[in-house]
Amino acid sequence: MLPFAARRSLQALVILALVTFLSYVIMSMAPGNALQTFIDPRVPPAELAAAERALGLDKPVAVRYLSWLRELASGNLGYSIKTGTPVGALILSRLGPTLLLMGTALALMTVLAIVLGVVSAARPYSFVDYLATTFAFAGISVPSFFFALTLIYVFAVQLGWLPTSGLQTYQRELSGLDLALDRAAHLVLPVAVLALTGTAELVRHVRSAVSEALKQDYVRTAKGKGVASRAVLLNHALRNSWLPIITLLGVALPRFFSGSVVTEVVFAWPGMGRLLVDSVFARDYPVAMGINLFAAMLVLLGNLLADVAYGLADPRIRYQ
């Protein structure tokens, strides 16, 4: 296991270098820079050029990338051009809300997808199966931002049950249980959007994997021995369906992160996704590069954990 993890970690470093280089080049190709975006347009061109030289914005892309890489090796993600704040501090300030949102939605999505997929596969062409299939196609077809706006209109505007934005109620001093309940209320709608759109895609694959397992000989043998239907479903069919489900969860992680960016913007959630959008619009590339690096590391870590989970789900798998 350890040699395998070490080899995958080395591969991840190479991929990270490629991802950061491509991200840096693509962002550098966009017109303008952070100074030209937020500085007073009445500033004389000579002073603007001097400021760009001071920040190194006039250097070639390759030189700037190598400089950024050298600082990264020493643990420095750079500084925001717009505010001068260290990028690491900015990311840490937004990391908690993003992990809270993504972690809650990912857990809910996994549970819903497995329950709906297993029930749908166990009762094909039943009302539950048709309901799950309809839900899956509707979730895939409807854009997440439209789904988010619909939930806001129904549950916030019309019913007034839930808040529409932010991590907690603005200008209210709360603590203890009141603070926890207030944050939970703010979490409901963004988590619902992320979890339900992700569930819609995953439930179809879970249903397909479990349905395929139910057709195998070992399932028929278990039924022939008189094993209860629920035990056959959970201990034989579902257990042998874990590998494709784990693979899909690993692949779904990048899309899940990109979905959280849209959700954070719609619900004004103070997380990394909203910070990424703000930094891109402001041409604040050090901040955008730091978040891109974090997202790439998250995806690679998810894939590594999925590989490790293979061995736990199927002891026959050996790491060479």
Side-chain angles (χ1 to χ4, degrees), residues 219-238:
V219 171
R220 284 194 287 269
T221 302
K223 289 180 178 177
K225 289 181 177 179
V227 179
S229 299
R230 179 173 297 182
V232 170
L233 181 64
L234 298 179
N235 299 336
H236 296 272
L238 180 59

Side-chain angles (χ1 to χ4, degrees), residues 94 98 166 260-261 264-265 267-279 291:
R94 303 296 187 97
T98 292
S260 73
V261 173
E264 286 186 7
V265 171
F267 289 99
W269 188 259
M272 292 174 57
R274 190 178 169 197
L275 178 63
L276 174 64
V277 173
D278 292 341
S279 63
I291 298 175

Side-chain angles (χ1 to χ4, degrees), residues 33-80:
N33 57 43
L35 285 180
Q36 296 171 0
T37 302
F38 68 83
I39 205 168
D40 191 334
R42 292 170 295 181
V43 171
E47 293 185 15
L48 179 62
E52 289 177 348
R53 283 196 299 274
L55 293 171
L57 299 177
D58 60 328
K59 296 179 180 177
V61 175
V63 174
R64 280 185 281 156
Y65 174 72
L66 290 176
S67 176
W68 178 82
L69 208 58
R70 189 165 51 249
E71 291 295 324
L72 177 65
S74 62
N76 182 17
L77 287 172
Y79 298 88
S80 167

Side-chain angles (χ1 to χ4, degrees), residues 100-101 104 108 161-169 174 176-192 267 269:
L100 176 64
L101 176 63
T104 307
L108 183 61
W161 290 353
L162 295 168
T164 60
S165 63
L167 182 62
Q168 63 185 65
T169 303
L174 299 173
L177 182 60
D178 291 336
L179 178 61
L181 292 175
D182 185 66
R183 290 194 173 181
H186 283 76
L187 200 59
V188 170
L189 290 183
V191 164
F267 289 99
W269 188 259

Side-chain angles (χ1 to χ4, degrees), residues 255-269:
R255 291 199 296 271
F256 202 71
F257 183 79
S258 61
S260 73
V261 173
V262 177
T263 304
E264 286 186 7
V265 171
V266 173
F267 289 99
W269 188 259

